[in-house]
Each structure stands twice: as C-alpha cells, then as structure tokens.
PDB file of all heavy atoms in Angstrom:
ATOM      1  N   ALA A  36       1.330  -3.836   8.024  1.00  0.00           N
ATOM      2  CA  ALA A  36       0.488  -3.899   9.205  1.00  0.00           C
ATOM      3  C   ALA A  36      -0.930  -3.751   8.765  1.00  0.00           C
ATOM      4  O   ALA A  36      -1.865  -3.746   9.711  1.00  0.00           O
ATOM      5  CB  ALA A  36       0.890  -3.041  10.283  1.00  0.00           C
ATOM      6  N   LEU A  37      -1.309  -3.357   7.562  1.00  0.00           N
ATOM      7  CA  LEU A  37      -2.659  -3.227   7.093  1.00  0.00           C
ATOM      8  C   LEU A  37      -3.283  -4.469   6.909  1.00  0.00           C
ATOM      9  O   LEU A  37      -2.904  -5.408   6.159  1.00  0.00           O
ATOM     10  CB  LEU A  37      -2.607  -2.416   5.759  1.00  0.00           C
ATOM     11  CG  LEU A  37      -2.112  -1.007   5.817  1.00  0.00           C
ATOM     12  CD1 LEU A  37      -2.028  -0.284   4.410  1.00  0.00           C
ATOM     13  CD2 LEU A  37      -2.904  -0.128   6.848  1.00  0.00           C
ATOM     14  N   VAL A  38      -4.438  -4.629   7.571  1.00  0.00           N
ATOM     15  CA  VAL A  38      -5.174  -6.014   7.600  1.00  0.00           C
ATOM     16  C   VAL A  38      -6.657  -5.677   7.107  1.00  0.00           C
ATOM     17  O   VAL A  38      -7.315  -4.766   7.655  1.00  0.00           O
ATOM     18  CB  VAL A  38      -5.135  -6.523   8.949  1.00  0.00           C
ATOM     19  CG1 VAL A  38      -5.971  -7.813   9.028  1.00  0.00           C
ATOM     20  CG2 VAL A  38      -3.697  -6.815   9.463  1.00  0.00           C
ATOM     21  N   PRO A  39      -7.102  -6.388   6.115  1.00  0.00           N
ATOM     22  CA  PRO A  39      -8.448  -6.287   5.724  1.00  0.00           C
ATOM     23  C   PRO A  39      -9.485  -6.700   6.839  1.00  0.00           C
ATOM     24  O   PRO A  39      -9.091  -7.671   7.644  1.00  0.00           O
ATOM     25  CB  PRO A  39      -8.613  -7.257   4.551  1.00  0.00           C
ATOM     26  CG  PRO A  39      -7.234  -7.469   4.123  1.00  0.00           C
ATOM     27  CD  PRO A  39      -6.289  -7.407   5.302  1.00  0.00           C
ATOM     28  N   THR A  40     -10.494  -6.095   6.882  1.00  0.00           N
ATOM     29  CA  THR A  40     -11.591  -6.366   7.931  1.00  0.00           C
ATOM     30  C   THR A  40     -12.029  -7.896   7.905  1.00  0.00           C
ATOM     31  O   THR A  40     -12.238  -8.404   6.862  1.00  0.00           O
ATOM     32  CB  THR A  40     -12.865  -5.538   7.658  1.00  0.00           C
ATOM     33  OG1 THR A  40     -12.540  -4.124   7.698  1.00  0.00           O
ATOM     34  CG2 THR A  40     -13.900  -5.728   8.734  1.00  0.00           C
ATOM     35  N   GLY A  41     -11.809  -8.482   9.073  1.00  0.00           N
ATOM     36  CA  GLY A  41     -12.213  -9.853   9.146  1.00  0.00           C
ATOM     37  C   GLY A  41     -11.192 -10.952   8.844  1.00  0.00           C
ATOM     38  O   GLY A  41     -11.347 -12.100   8.981  1.00  0.00           O
ATOM     39  N   ALA A  42      -9.951 -10.427   8.426  1.00  0.00           N
ATOM     40  CA  ALA A  42      -8.875 -11.355   8.048  1.00  0.00           C
ATOM     41  C   ALA A  42      -8.251 -11.946   9.321  1.00  0.00           C
ATOM     42  O   ALA A  42      -8.186 -11.249  10.360  1.00  0.00           O
ATOM     43  CB  ALA A  42      -7.804 -10.611   7.247  1.00  0.00           C
ATOM     44  N   VAL A  43      -7.799 -13.134   9.003  1.00  0.00           N
ATOM     45  CA  VAL A  43      -6.861 -13.887  10.182  1.00  0.00           C
ATOM     46  C   VAL A  43      -5.455 -13.524   9.752  1.00  0.00           C
ATOM     47  O   VAL A  43      -5.113 -13.899   8.610  1.00  0.00           O
ATOM     48  CB  VAL A  43      -7.224 -15.259  10.267  1.00  0.00           C
ATOM     49  CG1 VAL A  43      -6.344 -15.992  11.251  1.00  0.00           C
ATOM     50  CG2 VAL A  43      -8.688 -15.511  10.660  1.00  0.00           C
ATOM     51  N   VAL A  44      -4.674 -13.039  10.651  1.00  0.00           N
ATOM     52  CA  VAL A  44      -3.245 -12.766  10.400  1.00  0.00           C
ATOM     53  C   VAL A  44      -2.441 -14.058  10.616  1.00  0.00           C
ATOM     54  O   VAL A  44      -2.663 -14.700  11.579  1.00  0.00           O
ATOM     55  CB  VAL A  44      -2.738 -11.653  11.301  1.00  0.00           C
ATOM     56  CG1 VAL A  44      -1.195 -11.489  11.044  1.00  0.00           C
ATOM     57  CG2 VAL A  44      -3.474 -10.365  10.995  1.00  0.00           C
ATOM     58  N   LEU A  45      -1.649 -14.375   9.580  1.00  0.00           N
ATOM     59  CA  LEU A  45      -0.770 -15.564   9.735  1.00  0.00           C
ATOM     60  C   LEU A  45       0.593 -15.121   9.942  1.00  0.00           C
ATOM     61  O   LEU A  45       1.269 -14.376   9.179  1.00  0.00           O
ATOM     62  CB  LEU A  45      -0.835 -16.313   8.326  1.00  0.00           C
ATOM     63  CG  LEU A  45      -2.212 -16.685   7.784  1.00  0.00           C
ATOM     64  CD1 LEU A  45      -2.076 -17.222   6.406  1.00  0.00           C
ATOM     65  CD2 LEU A  45      -2.879 -17.658   8.795  1.00  0.00           C
ATOM     66  N   ASP A  46       1.104 -15.490  11.057  1.00  0.00           N
ATOM     67  CA  ASP A  46       2.503 -15.129  11.525  1.00  0.00           C
ATOM     68  C   ASP A  46       3.591 -15.537  10.540  1.00  0.00           C
ATOM     69  O   ASP A  46       3.493 -16.548  10.023  1.00  0.00           O
ATOM     70  CB  ASP A  46       2.754 -15.730  12.922  1.00  0.00           C
ATOM     71  CG  ASP A  46       3.955 -15.135  13.578  1.00  0.00           C
ATOM     72  OD1 ASP A  46       4.218 -13.853  13.447  1.00  0.00           O
ATOM     73  OD2 ASP A  46       4.762 -15.868  14.233  1.00  0.00           O
ATOM     74  N   ASN A  47       4.535 -14.585  10.418  1.00  0.00           N
ATOM     75  CA  ASN A  47       5.690 -14.877   9.567  1.00  0.00           C
ATOM     76  C   ASN A  47       6.971 -14.753  10.411  1.00  0.00           C
ATOM     77  O   ASN A  47       7.572 -13.594  10.421  1.00  0.00           O
ATOM     78  CB  ASN A  47       5.676 -13.917   8.443  1.00  0.00           C
ATOM     79  CG  ASN A  47       6.815 -14.225   7.416  1.00  0.00           C
ATOM     80  OD1 ASN A  47       7.662 -15.105   7.652  1.00  0.00           O
ATOM     81  ND2 ASN A  47       6.862 -13.429   6.369  1.00  0.00           N
ATOM     82  N   PRO A  48       7.503 -15.763  11.154  1.00  0.00           N
ATOM     83  CA  PRO A  48       8.609 -15.684  11.853  1.00  0.00           C
ATOM     84  C   PRO A  48       9.888 -15.574  11.066  1.00  0.00           C
ATOM     85  O   PRO A  48      11.026 -15.130  11.636  1.00  0.00           O
ATOM     86  CB  PRO A  48       8.642 -17.031  12.653  1.00  0.00           C
ATOM     87  CG  PRO A  48       7.808 -17.891  11.938  1.00  0.00           C
ATOM     88  CD  PRO A  48       6.836 -17.160  11.154  1.00  0.00           C
ATOM     89  N   ARG A  49       9.859 -15.706   9.768  1.00  0.00           N
ATOM     90  CA  ARG A  49      10.991 -15.649   8.925  1.00  0.00           C
ATOM     91  C   ARG A  49      11.124 -14.368   8.081  1.00  0.00           C
ATOM     92  O   ARG A  49      12.070 -14.252   7.290  1.00  0.00           O
ATOM     93  CB  ARG A  49      11.117 -16.903   8.027  1.00  0.00           C
ATOM     94  CG  ARG A  49      11.295 -18.122   8.768  1.00  0.00           C
ATOM     95  CD  ARG A  49      11.531 -19.308   7.795  1.00  0.00           C
ATOM     96  NE  ARG A  49      11.803 -20.453   8.620  1.00  0.00           N
ATOM     97  CZ  ARG A  49      12.270 -21.547   8.030  1.00  0.00           C
ATOM     98  NH1 ARG A  49      12.584 -21.554   6.793  1.00  0.00           N
ATOM     99  NH2 ARG A  49      12.464 -22.709   8.749  1.00  0.00           N
ATOM    100  N   GLY A  50      10.179 -13.524   8.255  1.00  0.00           N
ATOM    101  CA  GLY A  50      10.158 -12.263   7.443  1.00  0.00           C
ATOM    102  C   GLY A  50       9.196 -11.226   8.089  1.00  0.00           C
ATOM    103  O   GLY A  50       8.726 -11.394   9.140  1.00  0.00           O
ATOM    104  N   THR A  51       9.130 -10.184   7.347  1.00  0.00           N
ATOM    105  CA  THR A  51       8.280  -8.993   7.907  1.00  0.00           C
ATOM    106  C   THR A  51       6.860  -9.007   7.405  1.00  0.00           C
ATOM    107  O   THR A  51       6.081  -8.378   8.115  1.00  0.00           O
ATOM    108  CB  THR A  51       8.993  -7.712   7.551  1.00  0.00           C
ATOM    109  OG1 THR A  51       9.012  -7.574   6.139  1.00  0.00           O
ATOM    110  CG2 THR A  51      10.339  -7.618   8.183  1.00  0.00           C
ATOM    111  N   ALA A  52       6.571  -9.608   6.341  1.00  0.00           N
ATOM    112  CA  ALA A  52       5.253  -9.602   5.784  1.00  0.00           C
ATOM    113  C   ALA A  52       4.278 -10.807   6.320  1.00  0.00           C
ATOM    114  O   ALA A  52       4.626 -11.963   5.947  1.00  0.00           O
ATOM    115  CB  ALA A  52       5.280  -9.741   4.282  1.00  0.00           C
ATOM    116  N   PRO A  53       3.375 -10.507   7.155  1.00  0.00           N
ATOM    117  CA  PRO A  53       2.444 -11.510   7.622  1.00  0.00           C
ATOM    118  C   PRO A  53       1.562 -12.020   6.443  1.00  0.00           C
ATOM    119  O   PRO A  53       1.292 -11.211   5.479  1.00  0.00           O
ATOM    120  CB  PRO A  53       1.567 -10.922   8.725  1.00  0.00           C
ATOM    121  CG  PRO A  53       1.674  -9.504   8.389  1.00  0.00           C
ATOM    122  CD  PRO A  53       2.946  -9.186   7.675  1.00  0.00           C
ATOM    123  N   GLY A  54       1.157 -13.273   6.529  1.00  0.00           N
ATOM    124  CA  GLY A  54       0.135 -13.739   5.566  1.00  0.00           C
ATOM    125  C   GLY A  54      -1.185 -13.425   6.062  1.00  0.00           C
ATOM    126  O   GLY A  54      -1.415 -12.915   7.221  1.00  0.00           O
ATOM    127  N   LEU A  55      -2.202 -13.595   5.282  1.00  0.00           N
ATOM    128  CA  LEU A  55      -3.616 -13.266   5.629  1.00  0.00           C
ATOM    129  C   LEU A  55      -4.613 -14.427   5.121  1.00  0.00           C
ATOM    130  O   LEU A  55      -4.402 -14.954   3.998  1.00  0.00           O
ATOM    131  CB  LEU A  55      -4.043 -11.950   4.970  1.00  0.00           C
ATOM    132  CG  LEU A  55      -3.243 -10.755   5.445  1.00  0.00           C
ATOM    133  CD1 LEU A  55      -3.547  -9.639   4.447  1.00  0.00           C
ATOM    134  CD2 LEU A  55      -3.686 -10.375   6.909  1.00  0.00           C
ATOM    135  N   TRP A  56      -5.557 -14.738   5.885  1.00  0.00           N
ATOM    136  CA  TRP A  56      -6.590 -15.799   5.553  1.00  0.00           C
ATOM    137  C   TRP A  56      -7.896 -14.963   5.588  1.00  0.00           C
ATOM    138  O   TRP A  56      -8.223 -14.328   6.574  1.00  0.00           O
ATOM    139  CB  TRP A  56      -6.592 -16.834   6.643  1.00  0.00           C
ATOM    140  CG  TRP A  56      -7.764 -17.695   6.645  1.00  0.00           C
ATOM    141  CD1 TRP A  56      -9.063 -17.560   6.952  1.00  0.00           C
ATOM    142  CD2 TRP A  56      -7.755 -19.122   6.126  1.00  0.00           C
ATOM    143  NE1 TRP A  56      -9.818 -18.705   6.846  1.00  0.00           N
ATOM    144  CE2 TRP A  56      -9.026 -19.654   6.299  1.00  0.00           C
ATOM    145  CE3 TRP A  56      -6.795 -20.002   5.609  1.00  0.00           C
ATOM    146  CZ2 TRP A  56      -9.320 -20.981   5.869  1.00  0.00           C
ATOM    147  CZ3 TRP A  56      -7.146 -21.266   5.277  1.00  0.00           C
ATOM    148  CH2 TRP A  56      -8.350 -21.771   5.453  1.00  0.00           C
ATOM    149  N   LEU A  57      -8.635 -14.990   4.423  1.00  0.00           N
ATOM    150  CA  LEU A  57      -9.863 -14.221   4.286  1.00  0.00           C
ATOM    151  C   LEU A  57     -10.971 -15.210   3.785  1.00  0.00           C
ATOM    152  O   LEU A  57     -10.653 -16.120   2.972  1.00  0.00           O
ATOM    153  CB  LEU A  57      -9.745 -13.066   3.178  1.00  0.00           C
ATOM    154  CG  LEU A  57      -8.677 -12.113   3.572  1.00  0.00           C
ATOM    155  CD1 LEU A  57      -7.843 -11.732   2.323  1.00  0.00           C
ATOM    156  CD2 LEU A  57      -9.352 -10.907   4.021  1.00  0.00           C
ATOM    157  N   GLU A  58     -12.137 -15.039   4.261  1.00  0.00           N
ATOM    158  CA  GLU A  58     -13.249 -15.850   3.868  1.00  0.00           C
ATOM    159  C   GLU A  58     -14.325 -14.961   3.238  1.00  0.00           C
ATOM    160  O   GLU A  58     -14.628 -13.892   3.696  1.00  0.00           O
ATOM    161  CB  GLU A  58     -13.828 -16.640   5.004  1.00  0.00           C
ATOM    162  CG  GLU A  58     -12.841 -17.639   5.499  1.00  0.00           C
ATOM    163  CD  GLU A  58     -13.436 -18.610   6.557  1.00  0.00           C
ATOM    164  OE1 GLU A  58     -14.583 -18.823   6.584  1.00  0.00           O
ATOM    165  OE2 GLU A  58     -12.646 -19.198   7.355  1.00  0.00           O
ATOM    166  N   ARG A  59     -14.951 -15.433   2.123  1.00  0.00           N
ATOM    167  CA  ARG A  59     -16.050 -14.872   1.456  1.00  0.00           C
ATOM    168  C   ARG A  59     -17.016 -15.942   1.281  1.00  0.00           C
ATOM    169  O   ARG A  59     -16.917 -16.715   0.336  1.00  0.00           O
ATOM    170  CB  ARG A  59     -15.694 -14.163   0.192  1.00  0.00           C
ATOM    171  CG  ARG A  59     -16.713 -13.456  -0.434  1.00  0.00           C
ATOM    172  CD  ARG A  59     -16.389 -12.904  -1.756  1.00  0.00           C
ATOM    173  NE  ARG A  59     -16.856 -13.836  -2.786  1.00  0.00           N
ATOM    174  CZ  ARG A  59     -17.083 -13.531  -4.014  1.00  0.00           C
ATOM    175  NH1 ARG A  59     -16.886 -12.233  -4.466  1.00  0.00           N
ATOM    176  NH2 ARG A  59     -17.547 -14.363  -4.973  1.00  0.00           N
ATOM    177  N   GLY A  60     -18.052 -16.004   2.115  1.00  0.00           N
ATOM    178  CA  GLY A  60     -19.001 -17.099   2.105  1.00  0.00           C
ATOM    179  C   GLY A  60     -18.229 -18.416   2.352  1.00  0.00           C
ATOM    180  O   GLY A  60     -17.547 -18.503   3.303  1.00  0.00           O
ATOM    181  N   ASP A  61     -18.362 -19.363   1.410  1.00  0.00           N
ATOM    182  CA  ASP A  61     -17.658 -20.648   1.503  1.00  0.00           C
ATOM    183  C   ASP A  61     -16.266 -20.598   0.871  1.00  0.00           C
ATOM    184  O   ASP A  61     -15.605 -21.566   0.837  1.00  0.00           O
ATOM    185  CB  ASP A  61     -18.456 -21.739   0.830  1.00  0.00           C
ATOM    186  CG  ASP A  61     -19.653 -22.199   1.590  1.00  0.00           C
ATOM    187  OD1 ASP A  61     -19.653 -22.028   2.786  1.00  0.00           O
ATOM    188  OD2 ASP A  61     -20.670 -22.717   1.052  1.00  0.00           O
ATOM    189  N   GLN A  62     -15.895 -19.478   0.246  1.00  0.00           N
ATOM    190  CA  GLN A  62     -14.672 -19.401  -0.495  1.00  0.00           C
ATOM    191  C   GLN A  62     -13.527 -18.864   0.523  1.00  0.00           C
ATOM    192  O   GLN A  62     -13.856 -18.183   1.555  1.00  0.00           O
ATOM    193  CB  GLN A  62     -14.746 -18.500  -1.641  1.00  0.00           C
ATOM    194  CG  GLN A  62     -15.567 -19.044  -2.770  1.00  0.00           C
ATOM    195  CD  GLN A  62     -15.679 -18.094  -3.910  1.00  0.00           C
ATOM    196  OE1 GLN A  62     -16.256 -17.063  -3.748  1.00  0.00           O
ATOM    197  NE2 GLN A  62     -15.130 -18.489  -5.064  1.00  0.00           N
ATOM    198  N   VAL A  63     -12.346 -19.216   0.248  1.00  0.00           N
ATOM    199  CA  VAL A  63     -11.172 -18.769   0.976  1.00  0.00           C
ATOM    200  C   VAL A  63     -10.198 -18.157   0.145  1.00  0.00           C
ATOM    201  O   VAL A  63      -9.880 -18.673  -0.977  1.00  0.00           O
ATOM    202  CB  VAL A  63     -10.542 -19.970   1.832  1.00  0.00           C
ATOM    203  CG1 VAL A  63      -9.360 -19.465   2.564  1.00  0.00           C
ATOM    204  CG2 VAL A  63     -11.570 -20.558   2.857  1.00  0.00           C
ATOM    205  N   VAL A  64      -9.641 -17.036   0.562  1.00  0.00           N
ATOM    206  CA  VAL A  64      -8.568 -16.369  -0.160  1.00  0.00           C
ATOM    207  C   VAL A  64      -7.371 -16.287   0.868  1.00  0.00           C
ATOM    208  O   VAL A  64      -7.536 -15.760   1.918  1.00  0.00           O
ATOM    209  CB  VAL A  64      -8.843 -15.030  -0.710  1.00  0.00           C
ATOM    210  CG1 VAL A  64      -7.708 -14.363  -1.434  1.00  0.00           C
ATOM    211  CG2 VAL A  64     -10.111 -15.071  -1.508  1.00  0.00           C
ATOM    212  N   VAL A  65      -6.235 -16.829   0.490  1.00  0.00           N
ATOM    213  CA  VAL A  65      -5.015 -16.820   1.292  1.00  0.00           C
ATOM    214  C   VAL A  65      -4.005 -16.018   0.688  1.00  0.00           C
ATOM    215  O   VAL A  65      -3.632 -16.238  -0.564  1.00  0.00           O
ATOM    216  CB  VAL A  65      -4.521 -18.208   1.601  1.00  0.00           C
ATOM    217  CG1 VAL A  65      -3.287 -18.187   2.422  1.00  0.00           C
ATOM    218  CG2 VAL A  65      -5.563 -18.982   2.252  1.00  0.00           C
ATOM    219  N   LEU A  66      -3.475 -15.011   1.346  1.00  0.00           N
ATOM    220  CA  LEU A  66      -2.327 -14.193   0.897  1.00  0.00           C
ATOM    221  C   LEU A  66      -1.074 -14.633   1.596  1.00  0.00           C
ATOM    222  O   LEU A  66      -0.958 -14.578   2.749  1.00  0.00           O
ATOM    223  CB  LEU A  66      -2.617 -12.711   1.071  1.00  0.00           C
ATOM    224  CG  LEU A  66      -3.918 -12.202   0.681  1.00  0.00           C
ATOM    225  CD1 LEU A  66      -3.965 -10.702   0.962  1.00  0.00           C
ATOM    226  CD2 LEU A  66      -4.321 -12.483  -0.700  1.00  0.00           C
ATOM    227  N   LEU A  67      -0.020 -15.071   0.775  1.00  0.00           N
ATOM    228  CA  LEU A  67       1.225 -15.506   1.308  1.00  0.00           C
ATOM    229  C   LEU A  67       2.390 -14.687   0.792  1.00  0.00           C
ATOM    230  O   LEU A  67       2.345 -14.164  -0.321  1.00  0.00           O
ATOM    231  CB  LEU A  67       1.536 -16.977   0.912  1.00  0.00           C
ATOM    232  CG  LEU A  67       0.430 -18.032   1.426  1.00  0.00           C
ATOM    233  CD1 LEU A  67       0.819 -19.310   0.846  1.00  0.00           C
ATOM    234  CD2 LEU A  67       0.433 -18.042   2.962  1.00  0.00           C
ATOM    235  N   PRO A  68       3.437 -14.537   1.629  1.00  0.00           N
ATOM    236  CA  PRO A  68       4.641 -13.734   1.143  1.00  0.00           C
ATOM    237  C   PRO A  68       5.314 -14.471   0.051  1.00  0.00           C
ATOM    238  O   PRO A  68       5.209 -15.669  -0.112  1.00  0.00           O
ATOM    239  CB  PRO A  68       5.569 -13.635   2.339  1.00  0.00           C
ATOM    240  CG  PRO A  68       5.058 -14.760   3.210  1.00  0.00           C
ATOM    241  CD  PRO A  68       3.654 -15.046   2.940  1.00  0.00           C
ATOM    242  N   GLY A  69       6.096 -13.752  -0.745  1.00  0.00           N
ATOM    243  CA  GLY A  69       6.754 -14.414  -1.902  1.00  0.00           C
ATOM    244  C   GLY A  69       7.984 -15.197  -1.728  1.00  0.00           C
ATOM    245  O   GLY A  69       8.268 -16.235  -2.321  1.00  0.00           O
ATOM    246  N   PRO A  70       8.877 -14.737  -0.784  1.00  0.00           N
ATOM    247  CA  PRO A  70      10.071 -15.603  -0.630  1.00  0.00           C
ATOM    248  C   PRO A  70       9.806 -17.000  -0.149  1.00  0.00           C
ATOM    249  O   PRO A  70       9.096 -17.241   0.847  1.00  0.00           O
ATOM    250  CB  PRO A  70      10.894 -14.754   0.465  1.00  0.00           C
ATOM    251  CG  PRO A  70      10.310 -13.399   0.367  1.00  0.00           C
ATOM    252  CD  PRO A  70       8.938 -13.506   0.027  1.00  0.00           C
ATOM    253  N   PRO A  71      10.287 -18.050  -0.885  1.00  0.00           N
ATOM    254  CA  PRO A  71      10.003 -19.390  -0.506  1.00  0.00           C
ATOM    255  C   PRO A  71      10.378 -19.756   0.943  1.00  0.00           C
ATOM    256  O   PRO A  71       9.665 -20.541   1.598  1.00  0.00           O
ATOM    257  CB  PRO A  71      10.874 -20.244  -1.460  1.00  0.00           C
ATOM    258  CG  PRO A  71      10.987 -19.370  -2.653  1.00  0.00           C
ATOM    259  CD  PRO A  71      11.031 -17.944  -2.170  1.00  0.00           C
ATOM    260  N   ARG A  72      11.426 -19.129   1.513  1.00  0.00           N
ATOM    261  CA  ARG A  72      11.838 -19.487   2.891  1.00  0.00           C
ATOM    262  C   ARG A  72      10.787 -18.954   3.865  1.00  0.00           C
ATOM    263  O   ARG A  72      10.718 -19.413   5.009  1.00  0.00           O
ATOM    264  CB  ARG A  72      13.226 -18.951   3.200  1.00  0.00           C
ATOM    265  CG  ARG A  72      13.351 -17.404   3.265  1.00  0.00           C
ATOM    266  CD  ARG A  72      14.745 -17.040   3.575  1.00  0.00           C
ATOM    267  NE  ARG A  72      14.805 -15.603   3.914  1.00  0.00           N
ATOM    268  CZ  ARG A  72      14.476 -15.054   5.064  1.00  0.00           C
ATOM    269  NH1 ARG A  72      14.138 -15.832   6.056  1.00  0.00           N
ATOM    270  NH2 ARG A  72      14.557 -13.737   5.343  1.00  0.00           N
ATOM    271  N   GLU A  73       9.945 -17.967   3.427  1.00  0.00           N
ATOM    272  CA  GLU A  73       8.902 -17.574   4.316  1.00  0.00           C
ATOM    273  C   GLU A  73       7.550 -18.236   3.944  1.00  0.00           C
ATOM    274  O   GLU A  73       6.807 -18.671   4.828  1.00  0.00           O
ATOM    275  CB  GLU A  73       8.759 -16.024   4.111  1.00  0.00           C
ATOM    276  CG  GLU A  73       9.890 -15.155   4.457  1.00  0.00           C
ATOM    277  CD  GLU A  73       9.739 -13.763   4.182  1.00  0.00           C
ATOM    278  OE1 GLU A  73       8.580 -13.315   4.283  1.00  0.00           O
ATOM    279  OE2 GLU A  73      10.715 -13.097   3.926  1.00  0.00           O
ATOM    280  N   LEU A  74       7.325 -18.446   2.687  1.00  0.00           N
ATOM    281  CA  LEU A  74       5.984 -19.101   2.186  1.00  0.00           C
ATOM    282  C   LEU A  74       5.901 -20.481   2.579  1.00  0.00           C
ATOM    283  O   LEU A  74       4.789 -20.910   3.178  1.00  0.00           O
ATOM    284  CB  LEU A  74       5.872 -18.962   0.680  1.00  0.00           C
ATOM    285  CG  LEU A  74       4.727 -19.583   0.022  1.00  0.00           C
ATOM    286  CD1 LEU A  74       4.182 -18.700  -1.112  1.00  0.00           C
ATOM    287  CD2 LEU A  74       4.994 -20.951  -0.462  1.00  0.00           C
ATOM    288  N   GLU A  75       6.963 -21.268   2.419  1.00  0.00           N
ATOM    289  CA  GLU A  75       6.819 -22.742   2.703  1.00  0.00           C
ATOM    290  C   GLU A  75       6.432 -23.098   4.114  1.00  0.00           C
ATOM    291  O   GLU A  75       5.520 -23.847   4.355  1.00  0.00           O
ATOM    292  CB  GLU A  75       8.083 -23.445   2.150  1.00  0.00           C
ATOM    293  CG  GLU A  75       8.152 -23.337   0.659  1.00  0.00           C
ATOM    294  CD  GLU A  75       9.411 -24.069   0.061  1.00  0.00           C
ATOM    295  OE1 GLU A  75      10.108 -24.706   0.851  1.00  0.00           O
ATOM    296  OE2 GLU A  75       9.681 -23.906  -1.132  1.00  0.00           O
TER     297      GLU A  75
END
C-alpha cells in the first residue's frame, strides 16, 4: 500500500500488488506486478 508521491495506482483485480504509473517530466515509469496472470 506504499505509494510514491504523485503516482497513479493501477488496480490489480487478480492479485494483491497494485501497479503504479509515475511521471518525471516527459518520461513515464510504470511498475507492474511479476505474475503474468496479473501483469498481462
């Protein structure tokens, strides 16, 4: 449940780890869970 300041939380209905969308200027960093059934 720890979320970096300014991140958009990406819901994960298939698991417990939400994904995160972060922006730094024009760049984007996306954090996704590892299990393919959650990531895909």
Side-chain angles (χ1 to χ4, degrees):
L37 295 174
V38 176
T40 305
V43 174
V44 175
L45 306 174
D46 189 39
N47 183 357
R49 295 189 177 193
T51 58
L55 297 165
W56 171 284
L57 300 136
E58 295 189 23
R59 185 184 96 156
D61 284 337
Q62 292 176 296
V63 174
V64 181
V65 177
L66 312 183
L67 299 174
R72 69 180 191 80
E73 298 175 32
L74 177 142
E75 291 178 11

